[in-house]
Amino acid sequence: MNEANPGSQPKQEFERVLTQSATTIASFDGEQKSLVERTRHFLHSSPAAVPLIVLVLSLAVFAIIVGSRFFTPFALSLILQQVAIVGIVGAAQTLVILTAGIDLSVGAIMVLTSVVMGQFTFRYGLPVELSILCGVALGGLCGLINGILIAYVKLPPFIVTLGTWQIFLATTYIYSANETIRAQDIEANARMLQFFGEKIQIGSATFTYGVFAMILLIAILWYVLNHTAWGRHLYAIGDDPEAAELAGVRTKRVLISVYVLAGFICALAGWAQIGRNGSVSPQVGQFANIESITAVVIGGMSLFGGRGSILGMLFGALIVGVFSFGMRMYGTDVQWTYLMIGVLIITAVAIDQWIRKVAG
């Protein structure tokens, strides 16, 4: 047989050597990139890891440069108080961005619903509990308007919410006549409006009910996003809406439910904002949309949708709070805080792009 095919042995030997060489090169290349690949895939599967690491490092750095007065229960609980509103609004923004959308109207909804809660109580004499329910219902209605325009009219989320942001803010000013309801009046006649601003002392740490509301809300949403079909549908829509629809996901209904729920959460933030400030003002919290997007981006959430963690958003909000509080204690100008936060935003987006390329 070998005499019949004298060229077969050299050919087989050549193929064997070629295969061994290719395997060796692939093995060497895999070993060379294994650490980088493992890191990238870990960050892709654990989007909250990067902001958590940055948060821990930020706490350590400020504890060193500011001193022991920074790393105290009182100081850390004060940071939580400061980020409570951003954390609640950021939870609403997280749901929207997971579907590859964006909601620029969250701050306006928060302000409008807080004004309605106050005005219904003091202008019309409604029981404070009913006024709060009306404010929450209005938040859901605002979200429903956004959802219908996006899901059924097929308008871009950025354009829709940019427009409703202006509409809701204008409505707030017109309806309230730019009037502020003073903290003294609320304290005397409608203490329920200030509920989330009431403080609880635990050792040397001071917490408000607003902090507990933020933590409870994020815990519930974390469970819903990770352990329910509705949560999985959000990720699927953000990743590929056409594929999600082919798989049986009712994308339009899910999108509307996301924006309605975001409206309810913004109304909760409006109530918490009254407790935080003590008063009802149409001037406070207008730009919570920018703050919420900042927390979401720094928290490792992909603006392209389909990837991210609500815990990452919380870590992102805390990072901003730590930088703001720490640099203020250090005595630097507030503009340096904005500069650092801007660097963090760009860095977070760059890391997200790096992770997405590998995942793809």
Side-chain angles (χ1 to χ4, degrees), residues 216-287:
L216 180 60
L217 173 66
I218 290 174
I220 292 172
L221 290 178
W222 176 88
Y223 178 83
V224 169
L225 290 173
N226 290 280
H227 297 284
T228 66
W230 185 81
R232 290 191 293 272
H233 292 168
L234 258 64
Y235 282 98
I237 291 172
D239 189 51
D240 191 336
E242 293 180 359
E245 193 160 4
L246 289 174
V249 177
R250 296 181 175 180
T251 56
K252 292 180 180 178
R253 288 189 181 183
V254 173
L255 280 175
I256 288 180
S257 68
V258 165
Y259 283 93
V260 170
L261 180 56
F264 285 140
I265 294 172
C266 290
L268 174 65
W271 185 11
Q273 182 80 292
I274 298 174
R276 171 74 178 160
N277 298 315
S279 60
V280 177
S281 172
Q283 302 288 343
V284 177
Q286 299 173 4
F287 299 101

Side-chain angles (χ1 to χ4, degrees), residues 57-119:
L57 291 176
S58 302
L59 288 169
V61 169
F62 281 111
I64 293 171
I65 65 175
V66 175
S68 58
R69 59 197 178 100
F70 177 83
F71 211 72
T72 62
F74 175 77
L76 296 178
S77 62
L78 188 58
I79 292 173
L80 281 172
Q81 291 181 44
Q82 292 175 347
V83 304
I85 306 300
V86 175
I88 295 173
V89 179
Q93 193 71 258
T94 296
L95 299 177
V96 174
I97 288 180
L98 277 177
T99 64
I102 195 165
D103 194 343
L104 298 178
S105 68
V106 288
I109 295 174
M110 181 185 74
V111 178
L112 176 60
T113 54
S114 69
V115 165
V116 165
M117 291 176 190
Q119 293 291 341

